[in-house]
Amino acid sequence: MPIIARPDEFNIENLYVDLSSVVSQSLYLKCEGFNFAGSIKLKTAVEMVDSAERSGLLSKDSTIVESSSGNLGVALAMIAASRGYQFVCVTDVRCNTATRELMEAFGALVHTISEPHPEHGYLGSRLEYVQKLCSSDSRNVWLNQYANPNNWIAHYRRTAPALSRDFSGLDVLFIGAGTTGTLMGCAQYFRRNRPDVTIVAVDSAGSVSFGGPGGPRMIPGLGAGVRPQLLDESLVDDVVLVPEYETVRTCHQLASHGYLFGGSTGTVVTGAVQWLAENRPHRNSTAVAISPDLGERYLDSVYEPDWVQRNYGLDVRSRTTHGRPLTASGAVE
């Protein structure tokens, strides 16, 4: 019987979904959304805050400041409320309404950037505002998930070892690329301990992380307008870029089977299915993809028919049996 004293002490680490009956490939999905913050970012937030407390960077008068598209912001808001800190989250207009309201419910101040940086998009504008906040008051402490090594250390210590224990025969691991903390932590662990495991990064089309041209992206979580400082491409075996309309189709495909996952999960599952079809078409590989969060926070975007129609031209109202993917006209393929 688990009994906890702080909300960050609870996290289900070893829950997997067998997607073989949902998608066209044998694929297991590691579900990271079952904790009080609702996402894998709880691990990152705990590691960064713990380290800042140990080093003396955070004191009782400190205000934690962070740039986040949503999930890390929620995790930090929860931890700040639990430990008695003020928290300011700098996000942008793509942040889901439910995510912003969750942070505010925990007592956080949420500042929403409405104009993208001319070269580095919304992330560039968010980072400029964070730096302005920190220069204006020494009590403001930026944990900086984009460069903080504790971001990837959290997954080197927890996520990757759990995967390795649960799948002794793991062949391929698919990981979404945002700040690349999860990607780098897992990649470093498997390179050092099980180098036979193939590491595939999955990113959103329009992200500049792996050198591609920048483009508009509407779904928060994966992708970046500024190359991630933590990224070491030598640790990655392959990269798959997924257009956002494919992400939406996969999310609705999963939902039609009773699994409501977030946008990042839709991207990672899409990339995994495509990569396996192209690279292991006749091989019975043991493949795992990491699901960062669940789908309730995306009800006003990925799962909202008018939003989907407006942004991608998909008619999700007309989806039919068992989530077979939709075409742009809404017809089932």
Side-chain angles (χ1 to χ4, degrees):
M1 178 177 66
I3 298 176
I4 63 172
R6 298 192 316 200
D8 57 83
E9 293 174 350
F10 173 79
N11 182 62
I12 294 178
E13 188 73 75
N14 60 344
L15 177 64
Y16 298 85
V17 175
D18 182 350
L19 291 180
S20 59
S21 65
V22 181
V23 299
S24 57
Q25 301 290 336
S26 176
L27 179 66
Y28 298 99
L29 191 63
K30 187 179 194 305
C31 301
E32 292 281 356
F34 292 96
N35 55 59
F36 284 103
S39 81
I40 196 171
K41 289 292 188 176
L42 175 62
K43 299 175 191 177
T44 297
V46 168
E47 199 75 32
M48 291 197 303
V49 171
D50 283 353
S51 175
E53 289 179 337
R54 288 192 301 267
S55 69
L57 182 63
L58 284 176
S59 68
K60 61 182 179 62
D61 297 323
S62 297
T63 294
I64 297 172
V65 177
E66 189 55 84
S67 160
S68 171
S69 60
N71 283 335
L72 181 67
V74 172
L76 285 173
M78 184 192 79
I79 293 171
S82 173
R83 303 191 188 187
Y85 298 110
Q86 298 295 314
F87 173 54
V88 178
C89 181
V90 181
T91 188
D92 60 63
V93 293
R94 298 169 300 177
C95 180
N96 297 317
T97 301
T99 299
R100 185 179 67 251
E101 291 176 345
L102 270 172
M103 290 188 279
E104 291 171 341
F106 283 124
L109 174 64
V110 181
H111 180 83
T112 304
I113 297 293
S114 58
E115 294 295 330
H117 186 279
E119 295 180 12
H120 303 301
Y122 284 108
L123 178 55
S125 292
R126 279 162 36 190
L127 296 180
E128 283 187 349
Y129 191 81
V130 166
Q131 291 163 352
K132 185 186 301 183
L133 283 177
C134 291
S135 63
S136 69
D137 191 331
S138 61
R139 293 171 297 181
N140 293 338
V141 177
W142 180 25
L143 298 179
N144 192 2
Q145 64 166 324
Y146 308 100
N148 193 325
N150 292 290
N151 187 344
W152 67 262
I153 288 171
H155 304 288
Y156 184 90
R157 290 177 174 172
R158 298 184 59 184
T159 309
L163 273 163
S164 186
R165 287 192 303 269
D166 294 336
F167 289 88
S168 59
L170 181 63
D171 295 308
V172 190
L173 179 60
F174 298 94
I175 310 168
T179 63
T180 68
T182 307
L183 175 64
M184 289 295 97
C186 290
Q188 291 201 53
Y189 179 90
F190 281 102
R191 282 291 170 270
R192 294 177 185 179
N193 296 281
R194 293 177 58 183
D196 56 312
V197 175
T198 299
I199 303 296
V200 180
V202 183
D203 200 7
S204 298
S207 168
V208 305
S209 297
F210 293 92
R217 292 174 291 107
M218 298 300 297
I219 301 174
L222 298 187
V226 178
R227 180 180 168 84
Q229 296 179 56
L230 299 175
L231 177 60
D232 179 354
E233 289 189 59
S234 70
L235 298 173
V236 178
D237 294 301
D238 207 350
V239 179
V240 181
L241 297 179
V242 176
E244 285 192 333
Y245 73 88
E246 294 283 3
T247 291
V248 172
R249 287 162 51 151
T250 297
C251 284
H252 283 266
Q253 182 182 7
L254 293 168
S256 72
H257 285 75
Y259 296 112
L260 196 73
F261 286 109
S264 298
T265 301
T267 302
V268 174
V269 171
T270 302
V273 170
Q274 292 177 357
W275 190 93
L276 289 169
E278 294 173 5
N279 294 275
R280 306 288 171 86
H282 306 297
R283 181 174 170 183
N284 187 22
S285 298
T286 299
V288 176
I290 296 179
S291 167
D293 62 2
L294 301 178
E296 291 92 337
R297 297 173 191 176
Y298 300 80
L299 294 178
D300 62 348
S301 55
V302 171
Y303 295 103
E304 206 291 304
D306 290 337
W307 188 92
V308 173
Q309 176 69 49
R310 183 169 62 252
N311 286 287
Y312 307 109
L314 292 173
D315 182 6
V316 294
R317 291 184 180 89
S318 65
R319 75 176 186 209
T320 59
T321 59
H322 293 94
R324 283 177 288 170
L326 300 169
T327 65
S329 64
V332 177
E333 291 180 342

